[in-house]
Amino acid sequence: MKLSPDFTFPFVVLMTCVELFTFVTARPTPQGKNGLQMLYQDMRTLLNLVSQERHKNEMKDFEQSLTSLPSLNFKTEDLKSLEKSSTLEQLYTGLKSFKFHLDWIQQTQEEMGSDYSKTKKLAQRIQAISHMVLIQIGTTPPELVYPSLSPLNTAWNLYHANVEILDKLYFFCNWYVRALGVLKPRQ
């Protein structure tokens, strides 16, 4: 099921305005070693937030259906051969994807009259970290293409999607905290 054109355009405009606001108000980020240290610390903070939320909403043995979320196909041995530029580009792309999905959840929570403050807090933190990563990269990556997401029509579908996003975001953050921990001393 696809979003109707009447819904998609305002949603894209809203997301663009939020990103522009975050970009304009973001704190300056140092580059190089200090920048990687700050990025590492911010990713650890995000990991802790996601871990707390994930623990509150834990579901065991559920079918994961959001194929549009970033997948991690890394092994521990891959940490030895990390390159700063490709790692940061992958981190940026993944963060933007999670931000997109959290905005989708937040919009549905708002429409259903649910409290979306925690989702909003995670999305804002991810946006700020994305900006820091962009500064570390030094160039603007190609424009990302976002998938069409089906509306979440029931509270159960919303809960299930939220749990799945938090679960994958937890493992994503865990990997990139490790990766940044490896990259920091190399700078």
Side-chain angles (χ1 to χ4, degrees):
M1 194 171 190
K2 293 187 176 187
L3 296 174
S4 70
D6 296 334
F7 175 75
T8 304
F9 182 72
F11 185 64
V12 170
V13 170
L14 176 65
M15 287 180 50
T16 303
C17 289
V18 168
E19 288 188 30
L20 180 61
F21 175 77
T22 304
F23 179 75
V24 170
T25 60
R27 68 179 192 230
T29 307
Q31 291 186 344
K33 190 172 184 177
N34 289 338
L36 280 181
Q37 177 63 33
M38 286 180 64
L39 190 54
Y40 172 79
Q41 289 170 348
D42 282 356
M43 283 299 295
R44 282 184 54 116
T45 302
L46 178 61
L47 176 62
N48 289 335
L49 284 171
V50 172
S51 180
Q52 291 168 6
E53 287 304 309
R54 183 175 174 251
H55 182 68
K56 291 177 193 173
N57 298 313
E58 196 167 345
M59 272 179 57
K60 296 188 191 283
D61 300 327
F62 68 95
E63 184 180 326
Q64 297 192 356
S65 58
L66 289 173
T67 58
S68 56
L69 287 168
S71 60
L72 291 175
N73 299 320
F74 300 111
K75 299 177 195 121
T76 306
E77 302 89 53
D78 295 337
L79 290 169
K80 297 174 187 170
S81 61
L82 290 176
E83 294 179 13
K84 179 182 173 185
S85 61
S86 61
T87 301
L88 291 178
E89 287 172 11
Q90 292 167 356
L91 174 59
Y92 178 79
T93 303
L95 287 170
K96 295 303 277 185
S97 178
F98 280 109
K99 167 86 169 61
F100 175 78
H101 285 82
L102 287 171
D103 288 343
W104 172 61
I105 291 289
Q106 181 180 325
Q107 174 135 9
T108 305
Q109 288 171 326
E110 184 176 14
E111 289 169 1
M112 290 185 173
S114 302
D115 177 23
Y116 59 89
S117 60
K118 292 177 183 174
T119 306
K120 184 177 181 179
K121 183 179 179 180
L122 281 175
Q124 288 173 336
R125 173 134 346 233
I126 288 173
Q127 182 63 33
I129 294 171
S130 296
H131 179 70
M132 290 176 63
V133 174
L134 198 56
I135 290 171
Q136 290 296 312
I137 293 172
T139 62
T140 305
E143 190 67 29
L144 301 175
V145 177
Y146 295 108
S148 296
L149 299 172
S150 302
L152 299 167
N153 298 324
T154 65
W156 174 249
N157 289 343
L158 174 64
Y159 179 77
H160 185 268
N162 191 43
V163 167
E164 186 173 351
I165 291 168
L166 288 173
D167 195 49
K168 288 191 176 182
L169 181 56
Y170 172 80
F171 290 109
F172 178 86
C173 291
N174 193 341
W175 170 260
Y176 281 99
V177 164
R178 290 171 157 201
L180 291 169
V182 168
L183 290 175
K184 278 188 323 172
R186 293 184 189 172
Q187 294 298 307

